[in-house]
Amino acid sequence: MREYKGDKGNQLEGSISEKIKININGAQNGLFINGKDLDNPVLLFVSSGPGTDDYFLNEKYPDMHIEDEFTVCYWDYRGMGIVYDKNIDPASIDLNTLVEDTASVTKYLMERFGKEKIYIMAFSGGTNIALKTIEKYPEYYYAYIAMAQVICRGEDNDTLIYQFMKDTFTERGDKKKLKKLEQIVDKKDNRKVECHDWYEFVTLLHEAGGGTTMNETEFKGIVMPILRAHCYTLKEKFDYIKGMKMYRTTTLDQELGNKDYRKTDLVFDIPIYFISGDHDYNCPWPLVEEYCDMIDAPDKEFYLIENAAHSPLWEQQETCFEIMKEIKNRQELCEVFHR
């Protein structure tokens, strides 16, 4: 867990660093709550996957300090991470359930910390949940911050990933990986491609430098940091993996299979800010930029972070910290203007 020390080495007054489990709508939910000053606005961080706890990255990248500006709640939703439940029915986990859970966690945070609204930030697969939540409950949030926003699945998405990997492996002269790449895609008449082995596709993407973290394999960038993390017990580390696997069998996973937000979700009542790495082809950044241009929101911005892949908040900590401060300042100015 994060530690915030004062001048005399004791806990910084007004700070918070805790790991708790609470019941939300009949299921256990896990919360890692960190902040240097409880007077700061609250930010709910919706985990990726869906079904993947991202808190371990704070240990791998200790200079990521958005809790200087926000009280940050990293949320493990039902059945995942530190609240994995072997008895949960995967069929019971759908998008509507997780949207209602998000709203309930939000209300818990507002009541606990005495806030009229909070910020919501989501990462990768978690953006599916957050996007639907801000549509249904815009009154709860100052703004939505989407890191590696999911836009669609299918050939538009796969073609961008394929072309990035093809260009990268061609430049490296890696004929072996080029051959493997061609074996896991189907060529379409419209000159696009569609992947038929997503696991191998993503494995290759990590090797090309466009995966979870830039120029790191999945094992080095994700598996080893989870195993080394101090924020989880040994049991929780095993449960973490079980929860990830379980989420691949949920109703939610089936619901998200054919989503294309460019066709349905274009008008929003709150500001939306997108953050993508310039090497992110897990959720290809050109699609995110396109989507940002398409939507109608009170305020919006697309931030492309250099020398980062799927996780710019941690990979380029200083740059993203400045962006988070800018977003916070924009909302504070708006609040003053509308009073």
Side-chain angles (χ1 to χ4, degrees):
M1 295 297 295
R2 293 281 203 177
E3 292 186 346
Y4 308 106
K5 301 293 185 181
D7 294 336
K8 297 181 179 179
N10 55 334
Q11 182 174 337
L12 184 65
E13 186 176 353
S15 67
I16 185 172
S17 181
E18 68 177 33
K19 170 185 174 182
I20 61 172
K21 298 177 183 180
I22 61 172
N23 188 287
I24 294 291
N25 300 332
Q28 285 285 289
N29 283 236
L31 308 177
F32 292 89
I33 304 177
N34 295 272
K36 282 190 175 181
D37 186 346
L38 293 178
D39 288 334
N40 282 335
V42 172
L43 183 146
L44 173 61
F45 190 96
V46 183
S47 298
S48 65
T52 305
D53 178 308
D54 304 304
Y55 188 73
F56 73 93
L57 287 165
N58 292 325
E59 289 191 25
K60 184 180 179 184
Y61 300 98
D63 293 329
M64 200 282 288
H65 290 302
I66 60 172
E67 60 265 35
D68 290 4
E69 297 289 329
F70 300 88
T71 297
V72 186
C73 174
Y74 298 88
W75 173 39
D76 284 9
Y77 29 94
R78 61 174 65 210
M80 63 158 284
I82 64 172
V83 289
Y84 169 72
D85 181 358
K86 65 180 181 180
N87 296 314
I88 201 165
D89 180 5
S92 71
I93 300 178
D94 57 24
L95 184 57
N96 182 66
T97 296
L98 290 176
V99 166
E100 294 306 316
D101 285 354
T102 310
S104 295
V105 171
T106 297
K107 286 188 281 188
Y108 164 82
L109 294 171
M110 290 192 296
E111 292 169 7
R112 177 174 174 181
F113 295 107
K115 308 296 185 182
E116 293 182 2
K117 295 182 180 181
I118 69 170
Y119 290 82
I120 184 168
M121 182 174 189
F123 176 28
S124 188
T127 62
N128 293 290
I129 300 166
L131 195 70
K132 288 300 182 182
T133 302
I134 66 165
E135 281 189 293
K136 189 170 184 179
Y137 298 104
E139 67 274 15
Y140 292 169
Y141 305 105
Y142 289 114
Y144 168 45
I145 305 160
M147 181 170 65
Q149 174 70 47
V150 173
I151 304 300
C152 63
R153 290 187 184 181
E155 59 184 35
D156 283 358
N157 189 72
D158 293 358
T159 301
L160 284 166
I161 301 172
Y162 165 81
Q163 195 60 54
F164 168 75
M165 289 195 285
K166 183 178 180 180
D167 291 345
T168 300
F169 295 141
T170 298
E171 185 177 334
R172 294 177 186 174
D174 195 332
K175 295 180 181 179
K176 184 177 179 180
K177 289 190 175 63
L178 280 169
K179 182 179 179 180
K180 184 182 290 187
L181 176 61
E182 297 297 337
Q183 290 172 341
I184 58 175
V185 297
D186 297 320
K187 300 287 182 70
K188 304 292 183 178
D189 292 338
N190 57 4
R191 303 182 69 179
K192 294 184 179 181
V193 304
E194 195 158 17
C195 161
H196 59 251
D197 188 336
W198 183 252
Y199 178 80
E200 284 295 333
F201 208 46
V202 172
T203 299
L204 276 178
L205 180 60
H206 278 83
E207 293 173 355
T212 303
T213 49
M214 188 174 166
N215 296 325
E216 287 187 322
T217 63
E218 195 166 10
F219 182 78
K220 183 180 177 181
I222 303 176
V223 176
M224 287 306 298
I226 292 171
L227 294 176
R228 292 170 176 164
H230 296 90
C231 55
Y232 313 123
T233 66
L234 182 60
K235 180 180 183 300
E236 287 170 346
K237 290 176 183 179
F238 284 108
D239 285 347
Y240 184 113
I241 304 301
K242 293 175 186 176
M244 288 175 62
K245 291 181 177 178
M246 184 274 288
Y247 258 82
R248 295 172 188 164
T249 67
T250 60
T251 301
L252 172 71
D253 189 67
Q254 299 170 26
E255 289 178 306
L256 299 179
N258 296 313
K259 286 289 183 183
D260 187 338
Y261 294 115
R262 298 170 299 177
K263 297 178 180 178
T264 57
D265 302 76
L266 297 172
V267 180
F268 299 93
D269 294 328
I270 65 171
I272 302 183
Y273 306 101
F274 300 95
I275 300 174
S276 291
D278 66 350
H279 281 66
D280 185 8
Y281 283 86
N282 200 319
C283 293
W285 69 263
L287 290 177
V288 182
E289 184 177 37
E290 176 190 354
Y291 182 62
C292 181
D293 289 340
M294 293 173 69
I295 66 168
D296 181 9
D299 191 24
K300 64 179 182 178
E301 193 79 44
F302 173 72
Y303 298 93
L304 186 63
I305 311 302
E306 294 183 355
N307 298 314
H310 196 48
S311 312
L313 184 67
W314 293 283
E315 295 175 274
Q316 295 296 334
Q317 299 154 72
E318 185 175 343
T319 299
C320 287
F321 179 63
E322 293 302 318
I323 289 171
M324 297 296 288
K325 285 200 295 185
E326 177 187 322
I327 290 170
K328 176 184 170 183
N329 291 336
R330 284 167 81 153
Q331 300 316 305
E332 289 177 348
L333 285 173
C334 287
E335 289 295 308
V336 170
F337 180 77
H338 287 104
R339 283 174 185 167

